[in-house]
Amino acid sequence: MDRLRKMFALVADDNGATTSAARIQQHILGSGIQLDDFRLRTTMERLRFLGESPISFEAFVALVSDELMMVNRTFNRELVIPDWQEFCHDIELVFNRIADDCSGNNANYIPILRDADPNKWGVALCSVDGQRLEIGDVDTYHSIQSVSKPITYAFAIEQEGTDFVHQFVGVEPSGRPFNSLELLPDSRPFNPCVNAGAIMTAGVVASSRTEQSAREITEEIMKLWAALSGDLAPVRFSEETMLSERDTADNNFAIAYLLKGGRGLPRGVDLHKMLDLYLSCCSIEMTASLLSVAAATLANGGVCPITGQQALSTEAVKKSLSVMQAAGMYDNAGVFTLEVGLPAKSGVSGAVLTVVPNLMGFATFSPRLDSYGNSVRGVEFCRQLVELFTFHIYDSLSGGRSGCKRDPRASQHNRKQRDLSDLRWAVSHGDRYALKVRDLLLECMIAITLADGEIEEPEIIIMAETYTEIMGHQPQQGELQAMAESRQSEIEAGGSSGPFEQLLQRLSLEQVQLDDNVRELILEAAFRVACADGIIEPEEDHQLRGIANALGISEGVLELEIARFQRQHPSRGAAATD
Ligand code: GLU
């Protein structure tokens, strides 16, 4: 069928002859792309013009012809995260889990932060293809505080050049609190993410703009923020924050004088102007939604995914991300890099901006802070995310053994398909490894079938179906029944360790040789059998967990799988496991 016909079929009404604006919009939204996306502007304008009237195939072709490439990618889910809906469900699960955590306290050095609603909790995500998800309080404006620092640094690099900037600011992690007065042995601040470095960076920027006031320069930096966040909503300035920051800036003044008395300030810039610029950058107000798009722009090398505009040069982005990686999370940056392994920057307002290079950016907002000044929920969100997904920069080192963490990237999806077809082909030719996989797959399915001691006809049917789907050919006649019966008689015969325990031992031994895709296949096969009657019985749940554990698959990944099952069978409500 012609590609256009296939696209039309994806949105056609039951009669197959027409579609509607609502159906088309719904299908686009399902991909994660928003209806105001610049790449679909013409199509959307035409759709609005058509209103509610039925759209024939010919009208559809005329509608999408100008933006065919983007419509095609969106319709056929050929975006960087193809299965966007599933990904969103997983993220919601993490979001909800963390919502209960009320530990930590608001920053209390200025009233506007002290009095902010501590219960606010929002997560916004944007992929490098412009797919967006927003949950909770993503539209609450808050000062960006230290989140401003890596962007002011990038601005400085672009305006003044890297060499000049680094004559005044270092790039070493400090390991000290953000407001520490300590400097490098050569009297430069450690890096642009601690106050001393950010104040000096502001000084570098201010030093060449003698005609402009600190506020005017801030407005230019706000324009950069607006470009980074795709002009989604206004980037604001909080006078109240600025006034309070000035009132409580003694420590920052101390740092500024120390810098002035040490190496001196760039081009003899006025100390007050330098501090005013630093404090005004902290007083810029944005939302998690805006920050997530800015994070995605960084993930995309400086090109904003929702406008296509190059907001920052890739070189400046690379440097900014490197500094974030080394020092973005205050004096907990080392632990954060170890556990999360992503460039991120937090601010004392409760914002965290995180970048997954080449995939997406996200921002969280929750004002309660830990002892380092990082948002408790924000950090926990990052931690849980990398427990479930292969987002840690070094997850790519896993040699295909990450504990079956999810990888929503399109590239991984394609790799899985390729591996599966290789496996099928290899089984048919007697490859030893492939046969072992087949064997383990069968044993696990049978173990789940026998979880309740019975061999039921529907279970044998599901097993055969699953086997056929995964292996690409049907099992031999009566093979499954015979294997199941043989295991059943072993169980009845008793013995010190039953067949299930033996299977777990075998899985634990063999798993070192199995890559993630194969482990996932085995778990998936067992899982499908467990779900055969639409409900996961407690005994089946227990065995599934045993199999997952023996395969080295984390509890969290299994939870995602179970949640997915529950979503696909809403009529069953919760599984019998609760
Ligand atoms: N505005 C704060 C200060 O200079 C810094 C805020 C932050 O670390 O997020 O003390």
Side-chain angles (χ1 to χ4, degrees), residues 109-110 113 143-149 178-179 193-195 199 241 245 248-249 251-252 255 275 278-279 282-283 330 345-351 369 372-373:
Y109 70 98
I110 54 174
L113 295 183
S143 54
I144 60 172
Q145 295 291 347
S146 279
V147 177
S148 63
K149 292 171 178 170
F178 66 100
N179 54 4
C193 283
V194 289
N195 281 17
I199 291 170
T241 307
E245 289 286 348
T248 53
N251 189 75
N252 289 327
I255 291 174
L275 270 176
Y278 164 71
L279 296 173
C282 291
S283 307
Y330 302 120
K345 185 71 203 89
S346 62
V348 287
S349 50
L369 309 178
Y372 301 101

Side-chain angles (χ1 to χ4, degrees), residues 65 138 214 241 318 338:
S65 54
V138 294
T241 307
K318 269 165 66 180
L338 194 84

Side-chain angles (χ1 to χ4, degrees), residues 441-468 475 479-482 484-485 488 491 524-541 543:
L441 196 110
L442 276 172
E443 290 289 356
C444 288
M445 289 198 295
I446 286 170
I448 298 286
T449 303
L450 292 172
D452 58 0
E454 307 276 324
I455 307 172
E456 282 149 15
E457 181 69 17
E459 288 173 328
I460 295 284
I461 294 173
I462 289 282
M463 265 204 289
E465 276 174 15
T466 308
Y467 179 92
T468 309
E479 184 187 8
L480 299 180
Q481 185 78 29
E485 281 167 8
Q488 191 179 34
I491 293 173
E524 187 187 324
F527 192 79
R528 286 212 217 166
V529 179
C531 302
D533 56 0
I535 197 152
I536 304 172
E537 303 291 347
E539 190 48 38
E540 290 170 332
D541 178 73
Q543 296 210 347

Side-chain angles (χ1 to χ4, degrees), residues 428-449:
S428 68
H429 287 86
D431 174 277
R432 204 179 328 128
Y433 177 78
L435 286 177
K436 184 193 292 173
V437 173
R438 170 189 179 275
D439 194 28
L440 289 172
L441 196 110
L442 276 172
E443 290 289 356
C444 288
M445 289 198 295
I446 286 170
I448 298 286
T449 303

Side-chain angles (χ1 to χ4, degrees), residues 133-156:
L133 168 67
E134 301 185 326
I135 317 175
D137 300 307
V138 294
D139 293 323
T140 305
Y141 275 90
H142 52 77
S143 54
I144 60 172
Q145 295 291 347
S146 279
V147 177
S148 63
K149 292 171 178 170
I151 298 305
T152 309
Y153 167 65
F155 184 87

Side-chain angles (χ1 to χ4, degrees), residues 184-216:
L184 285 166
D186 64 6
S187 300
R188 286 180 308 157
F190 278 87
N191 64 65
C193 283
V194 289
N195 281 17
I199 291 170
M200 190 58 119
T201 308
V204 169
V205 171
S207 70
S208 68
R209 295 167 178 261
T210 46
E211 303 299 309
Q212 284 178 303
S213 66
R215 184 57 189 274
E216 283 164 348

Side-chain angles (χ1 to χ4, degrees), residues 4 17 38 147 153 217 322 325 497 515 543 567 571:
L4 277 162
F38 79 105
V147 177
Y153 167 65
I217 305 171
S322 305
Q325 179 99 38
S497 85
D515 69 21
Q543 296 210 347
R567 274 197 305 278
S571 57

